[in-house]
Amino acid sequence: MVLRYLSELKDLLADKPVRRLVLAAAQDLNSLSSVIKAARDGFIEPILVGDKEAIQNIANTGNIDISGVRMIHEPDTELAVGIAVKMVRSNQADILMKGKVGTSSLLKAVLNKEWGLRTGSLLSHIAIFEVEAYHKLIAVTDVAMNIAPNLQDKISIVNNSVSCLNKLGVEMPKVAVLGAVEMVSENMQATLDAALLSKMNQRDQIKHCLIDGPLAFDNAISLESANHKGIRSDVAGDTDLLLMPDIEVGNVLYKSLVFFAHAKVAAVILGASAPIVLTSRSDSDQAKYDSILLAAAVSKQE
Ligand code: COD
């Protein structure tokens, strides 16, 4: 199956059980409104952890009806995050979402060795874009968590992302490993890693996907560009997943797609014992809502 629009996430959830989402430090207007909308639409069951009075005040300000929603009062942000993480760990919730707390504070709690959500695999971020100029949804990784992944990290990032795309019905995702050029250059580490990843995929060391690289961005997303350069590739022009060389390139692409191409986006952190919704203040309410649906679609189903 190939998805073209993020709104199709709703169809994937149609016959799935409602997932329990815990919002850590829930006194945040945008997160709260997206969570409550997803709950009213029947996709999740919310649990709000945070300062009860502040949550109620924010709900009143935003005209958000939180009557009947389960709340756990904890005014201290760090403790509230700890409670939310532990609820996921003890299987009282299926999805963790960031509220009014810094990204690194939340991630540090998730990575806590005693009570965090580590599984032994690398945690990584995936962003799935709906771009008018492309014929299907396209995923980008890692634009927000792993700063300068090495080859081993990139293998884990690909595995996390492929498993996520498989859950969305993309059976054999086409993975383009990006570089500035499509030739392997000993001076550019990204091209060396790309060549190794492609060969490892060919030898079945990385499974359930088709990897090619290095590919420059234009070759990855346009068959015409690839043909123009004489590149023979089963991935070029039909990429499902773009693997970034590092966080800066990824973050710039993410923001270029959103601000210049008016792309829609949904994003989650993968590799923990449950998906984590980690949107930032600059993300639209729609992006937060779609990210919640994405998390629900990829969360474990008993
Ligand atoms: N997956 C699994 N374990 C990890 C990961 C990961 N991606 N990153 C670190 N760990 C483990 C390490 O093995 C170690 O045991 C422990 O966590 C601490 O590792 P450090 O000291 O390298 O990491 P921290 O605690 O300093 O920071 C981890 C962050 C995820 C917070 C850090 O990598 C980070 O700041 N990433 C960028 C987040 C960000 O600012 N994004 C901006 C765009 S939204």
Side-chain angles (χ1 to χ4, degrees):
M1 189 175 63
V2 173
L3 301 179
R4 172 67 185 89
Y5 302 104
L6 286 171
S7 57
E8 290 169 66
L9 289 171
K10 288 182 182 167
D11 306 332
L12 292 180
L13 290 169
D15 53 356
K16 298 233 167 94
V18 172
R19 315 312 291 153
R20 300 158 300 174
L21 178 148
V22 60
L23 181 59
Q27 55 276 15
D28 174 71
L29 180 58
N30 298 91
S31 319
L32 188 61
S33 78
S34 319
V35 166
I36 299 302
K37 181 168 164 27
R40 302 288 175 227
D41 290 348
F43 297 115
I44 54 144
E45 182 190 320
I47 306 154
L48 309 177
V49 184
D51 186 325
K52 211 166 181 172
E53 204 183 312
I55 297 170
Q56 190 59 62
N57 287 341
I58 279 168
N60 294 345
T61 312
N63 209 9
I64 305 165
D65 178 8
I66 56 167
S67 55
V69 173
R70 184 169 168 210
M71 263 200 261
I72 297 172
H73 178 59
E74 178 46 74
D76 181 276
T77 302
E78 203 174 313
L79 294 178
V81 170
I83 291 171
V85 168
K86 286 172 193 165
M87 286 188 82
V88 174
R89 189 181 165 101
S90 59
N91 199 27
Q92 296 174 66
D94 308 295
I95 300 166
L96 175 68
M97 179 162 171
K98 176 175 99 81
K100 202 174 175 54
V101 53
T103 300
S104 79
S105 305
L106 188 95
L107 289 177
K108 281 180 183 179
V110 166
L111 290 171
N112 184 288
K113 286 196 172 113
E114 277 93 57
W115 46 262
L117 307 178
R118 286 169 181 256
T119 57
S121 66
L122 192 81
L123 269 60
S124 63
H125 181 275
I126 188 168
I128 302 187
F129 289 93
E130 176 186 319
V131 196
E132 212 182 297
Y134 199 61
H135 57 283
K136 58 182 171 180
L137 295 184
I138 187 161
V140 182
T141 188
D142 180 330
V143 309
M145 178 139 193
N146 291 286
I147 296 168
N150 60 24
L151 180 66
Q152 191 55 48
D153 297 337
K154 287 177 184 175
I155 295 168
S156 304
I157 294 170
V158 169
N159 285 333
N160 282 347
S161 308
V162 166
S163 151
C164 166
L165 292 172
N166 289 160
K167 286 178 188 159
L168 300 181
V170 186
E171 273 164 31
M172 190 60 98
K174 294 180 181 169
V175 182
V177 186
L178 288 193
V181 290
E182 50 288 320
M183 296 300 161
V184 179
S185 160
E186 63 189 65
N187 297 322
M188 296 190 219
Q189 186 59 43
T191 68
L192 295 169
D193 287 353
L196 289 167
L197 290 165
S198 305
K199 185 51 83 179
M200 291 174 86
N201 176 242
Q202 245 181 37
R203 294 281 184 269
D204 239 8
Q205 284 174 271
I206 307 172
K207 297 186 205 306
H208 311 301
C209 61
L210 197 60
I211 304 182
D212 196 19
L215 287 170
F217 180 75
D218 53 338
N219 314 137
I221 51 110
S222 158
L223 187 58
E224 204 186 325
S225 291
N227 286 339
H228 192 69
K229 285 230 165 159
I231 297 165
R232 276 179 290 117
S233 163
D234 294 331
V235 171
D238 197 34
T239 298
D240 295 293
L241 174 69
L242 293 164
L243 180 69
M244 297 292 121
D246 60 36
I247 198 169
E248 281 84 13
V249 178
N251 208 267
V252 171
L253 177 62
Y254 181 112
K255 287 181 181 150
S256 313
L257 288 172
V258 170
F259 286 90
F260 276 171
H262 305 291
K264 288 185 179 167
V265 63
V268 285
I269 296 278
L270 306 165
S273 57
I276 303 163
V277 180
L278 196 72
T279 51
S280 67
R281 254 164 298 168
S282 61
D283 286 317
S284 67
D285 286 357
Q286 185 67 45
K288 289 192 166 77
Y289 179 83
D290 287 337
S291 299
I292 293 168
L293 268 49
L294 173 62
V298 301
S299 76
K300 265 187 289 198
Q301 316 285 325
E302 283 82 47

